[in-house]
Amino acid sequence: MAERSTAAVDVADNSGDEPLTAKADEATTDGTAEAQDTKGTKPQDTDGEHIGSEVTLPTPDLHSGHKLARRYRLEECVTRLDGFSSWRAVDEKLRRAVGVHLLPADHPRARSVLAAARSSALLGDPRFVQVLDAVEEDDLVYVVHEWLPDATELTSLLASGPMDAHDAYQLVSQVSQAMAAAHREGLAHLRLTPGAVLRSSTGQYRIRGLAVNAALRGITTDGPQRADTEAIGALLYAALTQRWPYESDAYGLAGLPKGVGLIAPDQVRAGVHRGLSELAMRALANDGATASRQEQPCTTPDELAKAVAAMPRIRPPEPVFTAPPEYQRTTYQQGSYGRPPARPGASVTMPVMAAPPAPLQSRTGKALKWAVSALLIAALGLGSWQLAETLLNNESDDPGSTQTEPKNGEDGEKKPTGQLLTVKDAVEYFPDGKAQHPNDVHLTYDGDSSTYWRSKSFIGGPTLAPFKQGVGIVYELDSAQSISSASVSLQFGGNHTTVSLYAADSLSSSTPLTSMKKIATTETTGTEAKFQTKDPVKTRFVLVWITDMPNSPADRYSGAGYKQSITEVKFMG
């Protein structure tokens, strides 16, 4: 908790804005020192964007250790800018790190920040860093969001060099699909910079600051879809060339030479994938020109996502294997170990070992061999007779039986060790795009049976199909483990709950259920579903999938209907 990981915080970066207290060498969102002013280098600054007042406003006078709502303890101020500040904090109730944006309640953009945060929280898409809370309290407005300690900013990734074609393809594919989903719900980003894109340890890209970063700065535009599409094109351009596609330097990247205009990525650096180069030009504002092939420009994230999907799939590079070293002949000489070296000129005579006599060649030895042979023959005959008698007795007792049942513990199966497996992370699985309560999934493995994740209340049941195929959560273990048993503690009993376990390959909801391997299925009328696998399945990601729910009465969260809640999940290896 004490370690700083600014790559995981959705904070406002200083690129394009002059901070109140942070100077050229102070920390920005990227977690590095930015000595340059990138104002006017982003597509948002040149495409009809309107930025809020330049009047500097006093930021809230808070300090480390201050608590919000008796729950969020501020740890470290990451950014102070234009009347608001961003902090790394600790949620003492759930014992986890979070990020917090703070601004005075009388700030001219306080209302729009609250509205943007609440709209972003309703989206519930796991491809975005989730907003956890948005509150106005004690003359303060604050927005609480996720902190991803294992994620790395795109800024840091590009600092080490351009991406290969496969990584750049994954970047533009995942980011364009996520932004297309956000725009379908009426949400725009408008600050989609390299500091706003994170890559997790599993290779999934997540976007932070949806709608909130723009609201904090008062950024608006007449064409939000075109602005976000051009921003994705700039990210792809930077990933292919390690250059920012404008004349000024920005985000630790060198800009293009002045006076040459926007040139295609494959003209900036040799070896760039031709299809991705043309795709970047189609997304960037280019006065209608799209490199050598005259294809229509992409003006919305949805058009860009479709253009990516229409490309031939780019495979990852083949692994490089190092050839083993050549065989080296040893200098060891047989028979020389432990012997003193011979004197020069002296001849060395090796002792001659006489061949050992053949064993048991005497008269007594021959008699002993015959005696042992007779005993072995007798033992074999006695054993064969006893075995035949046992088989005949079994056949006489049970004429219809053709095999004997193994006794308890003699079936030859390897018994499970019963070791409790550690859950590292979890996200809600909703392939139909309709989430239940994605912000509560961590409550199913926090060790507290009084907290839970719950589904919505459905009218039809107990089988949810065809209205909904099911609801569930994908859990990530600390490594690939063999799962032999599991238990899922539920809140509601009744007729009936059906739960299945699947081995998944990632935390993404885009993975279809048909591509997963089913581990086990159980049906219960109580409040606990237990699983016991015949053959343990090795996997790192486990999907708990509920397809049938009991009819339960109304509570303070939802009305009566077919619903279920998960309080605790345990996987055994």
Side-chain angles (χ1 to χ4, degrees), residues 429-445:
Y429 179 77
F430 48 98
D432 59 355
K434 300 177 181 178
Q436 304 297 297
H437 294 88
N439 294 333
D440 296 335
V441 294
H442 63 278
L443 301 177
T444 63
Y445 60 95

Side-chain angles (χ1 to χ4, degrees), residues 188-226:
H189 197 291
L190 305 184
R191 289 284 297 176
L192 198 55
T193 66
V197 179
L198 309 174
R199 186 171 71 178
S200 67
S201 58
T202 59
Q204 301 296 316
Y205 287 93
R206 299 188 67 179
I207 302 172
R208 63 187 181 189
L210 179 65
V212 176
N213 273 3
L216 284 169
R217 290 169 173 76
I219 297 174
T220 59
T221 180
D222 296 331
Q225 296 207 49
R226 184 68 189 93

Side-chain angles (χ1 to χ4, degrees), residues 40-223:
T41 64
K42 299 174 292 301
Q44 292 93 331
D45 295 333
T46 59
D47 189 23
E49 178 190 90
H50 307 290
I51 303 179
S53 172
E54 296 294 335
V55 179
T56 57
L57 301 172
T59 55
D61 187 15
L62 300 175
H63 54 82
S64 298
H66 183 87
K67 285 188 180 180
L68 302 173
R70 301 180 181 179
R71 174 176 179 177
Y72 305 111
R73 185 180 74 249
L74 302 182
E75 291 288 316
E76 179 183 11
C77 183
V78 181
T79 300
R80 290 184 186 274
L81 180 69
D82 200 14
F84 69 89
S85 58
S86 299
W87 294 74
R88 175 175 61 85
V90 175
D91 184 349
E92 295 185 336
K93 181 177 181 180
L94 298 179
R95 298 190 296 267
R96 63 178 179 179
V98 294
V100 179
H101 297 310
L102 279 167
L103 66 164
D106 57 354
H107 194 286
R109 295 194 289 272
R111 301 294 100 197
S112 60
V113 169
L114 276 177
R118 289 166 179 170
S119 299
S120 178
L122 290 176
L123 181 61
D125 192 320
R127 293 172 292 191
F128 294 90
V129 174
Q130 299 295 305
V131 172
L132 305 176
D133 211 349
V135 180
E136 179 180 0
E137 181 182 63
D138 297 334
D139 298 327
L140 284 175
V141 168
Y142 58 89
V143 177
V144 184
H145 52 84
E146 283 184 297
W147 178 290
L148 307 178
D150 65 336
T152 305
E153 281 187 3
L154 182 59
T155 308
S156 301
L157 297 175
L158 295 180
S160 59
M163 293 182 172
D164 59 45
H166 176 262
D167 289 340
Y169 173 83
Q170 290 295 326
L171 168 68
V172 68
S173 176
Q174 295 184 36
V175 173
S176 60
Q177 290 178 17
M179 289 309 305
H183 278 279
R184 283 194 290 269
E185 299 298 327
L187 293 173
H189 197 291
L190 305 184
R191 289 284 297 176
L192 198 55
T193 66
V197 179
L198 309 174
R199 186 171 71 178
S200 67
S201 58
T202 59
Q204 301 296 316
Y205 287 93
R206 299 188 67 179
I207 302 172
R208 63 187 181 189
L210 179 65
V212 176
N213 273 3
L216 284 169
R217 290 169 173 76
I219 297 174
T220 59
T221 180
D222 296 331

